Amino acid sequence: MCRRTRPAALALTAATTLVLAACGSDDGGPTTSSGDADACPGAVVDVVVSVGQWGDVVEALGGECASVTTVIDSVAVDPHDFEPTTGDIAAFEEADLVVLNGADYDHWAADAAGNVDPAPVVLDLAEVVGVEGEEHAEEEGEEHAEDEEEHGHGGVNPHIWYSPDSVQQAAEALTAELAELSPDAADHFAERADAWQQQLEPYLAEVDALRAAAAGRTYAATESVFEYMAEAIGLTDVTPEGYRESASNETDPAPGDVAEFSDALGAGGVDVLLYNTQTEGGVPEQLRGAAEDAGVPVVEVTESVPEEGLSFVDWQLAQLRELSAALQRQG
Ligand SMILES: [Zn+2]
């Protein structure tokens, strides 16, 4: 099965059925959602997106005027440990635009884009929103921020798709870049941007509602993936420091740190445990058990889009609603 293909019913009812989707392999190879040259008032832009977290966003903003290839489009692949195949690298050859998450999350994609001649335009979303990876910061000769050691992934938290502000800034930058690459399609991209804003409304409304519900409330997390969203809604992180540092540096926490975390869950100071289902292992499971024993609600979050064809908004909204329900249960 292909991921992110357009629904068959849509293709059948469309006047022109050029909405084709070429599939990658089942094991998480690149997937492509094609634009429609007949329906696009300008040139269709060939876009390669490194990770599925941004794939749906780019497809929504590109509409008929973008063919979007997403390289990591499977929840079974850990983006942190990803090593591209020659097939993955080949996906970059025809790209007009390469969209990176950045912040050292997908360096392999920056490298692949750098080896293409003529060079595609590269849009680094972390750079757009002002989150820079270590290597980038070093290139620029900047001092590292003092709090960087608290985060992993080469110094900063790269999970910027969990920040509502960053998502909106990234979308604006994407629309501007698409319009620059295909100026005759600028109106189409503007329409898509409006439609995207409308899609985003329930998500933004849920963020607002959570901001009220989260006041004075606390969470602990098995992994730092949700951190930007927790900050955005004002939920206080009480994950024991030793555990948090090792989790964000992707090292094994010391037994003492795990015990401290279990104790904290039992002590009543944690309102909700955020559990990243994509980094399962003995320790997270142990913590989940401790939370369940203590009656602390567990809210599951994922690094990547968890299901085929699920839109970015539906994915995020489902998680936010789970969190909202958990906080209500605890309240
Ligand atoms: Zn991560």
Side-chain angles (χ1 to χ4, degrees):
M1 283 296 291
C2 317
R3 283 182 55 79
R4 227 182 278 291
T5 52
R6 316 247 171 164
L10 186 71
L12 288 172
T13 53
T16 52
T17 54
L18 283 173
V19 186
L20 302 175
C23 296
S25 57
D26 291 338
D27 58 358
T31 62
T32 299
S33 166
S34 298
D36 184 344
D38 288 347
C40 176
V44 173
V45 182
D46 280 318
V47 189
V48 172
V49 184
S50 60
V51 293
Q53 291 92 321
W54 294 109
D56 171 69
V57 179
V58 178
E59 284 175 28
L61 293 169
E64 308 295 4
C65 296
S67 288
V68 182
T69 296
T70 303
V71 181
I72 305 181
D73 205 8
S74 166
V75 76
V77 177
D78 181 355
H80 293 291
D81 300 330
F82 183 69
E83 300 210 3
T85 64
T86 47
D88 296 327
I89 301 285
F92 290 79
E93 274 164 20
E94 302 299 317
D96 303 310
L97 172 63
V98 171
V99 178
L100 307 176
N101 181 77
D104 299 333
Y105 190 66
D106 45 9
H107 215 276
W108 56 270
D111 293 343
N115 288 328
V116 175
D117 185 25
V121 173
V122 175
L123 186 63
D124 180 320
L125 298 176
E127 212 176 292
V128 166
V129 305
V131 172
E132 286 178 314
E134 206 163 63
E135 188 164 308
H136 193 100
E138 276 165 12
E139 277 167 18
E140 309 260 315
E142 292 165 8
E143 294 293 320
H144 291 180
E146 269 181 21
D147 68 348
E148 278 192 0
E149 280 180 15
E150 290 180 17
H151 306 283
H153 305 293
V156 294
N157 180 348
H159 309 107
I160 56 172
W161 60 94
Y162 269 102
S163 158
D165 286 346
S166 295
V167 167
Q168 288 173 285
Q169 285 173 38
E172 273 174 37
L174 282 162
T175 297
E177 198 62 67
L178 288 166
E180 201 166 316
L181 286 165
S182 183
D184 291 342
D187 287 349
H188 178 73
F189 294 129
E191 278 167 29
R192 299 303 308 175
D194 286 347
W196 160 251
Q197 271 304 322
Q198 272 179 21
Q199 271 188 55
L200 215 53
E201 267 169 29
Y203 156 91
L204 295 174
E206 193 63 44
V207 170
D208 275 347
L210 270 164
R211 227 172 248 139
R217 313 299 292 281
T218 60
Y219 79 100
T222 60
E223 207 260 359
S224 65
V225 68
F226 198 77
E227 201 170 285
Y228 287 125
M229 181 60 81
E231 278 171 24
I233 63 179
L235 206 54
T236 302
D237 186 3
V238 294
T239 310
E241 182 117 2
Y243 179 93
R244 191 158 68 96
E245 272 177 31
S246 55
S248 57
N249 289 318
E250 295 183 68
T251 57
D252 289 331
D257 292 330
V258 179
E260 190 189 353
F261 199 154
S262 291
D263 291 349
L265 290 164
V270 181
D271 289 322
V272 60
L273 177 69
L274 293 170
Y275 183 86
N276 182 352
T277 58
Q278 247 172 294
T279 52
E280 275 184 20
V283 169
E285 277 167 26
Q286 189 185 332
L287 294 170
R288 181 182 196 135
E292 283 164 358
D293 289 347
V296 176
V298 177
V299 173
E300 295 185 348
V301 294
T302 57
E303 176 103 22
S304 316
V305 187
E307 279 170 46
E308 280 188 24
L310 191 65
S311 75
F312 176 84
V313 168
D314 287 345
W315 166 39
Q316 293 288 312
L317 200 49
Q319 295 183 159
L320 293 174
R321 286 181 175 152
E322 284 279 317
L323 176 58
S324 179
L327 288 173
Q328 266 168 29
R329 278 204 302 281
Q330 272 308 81

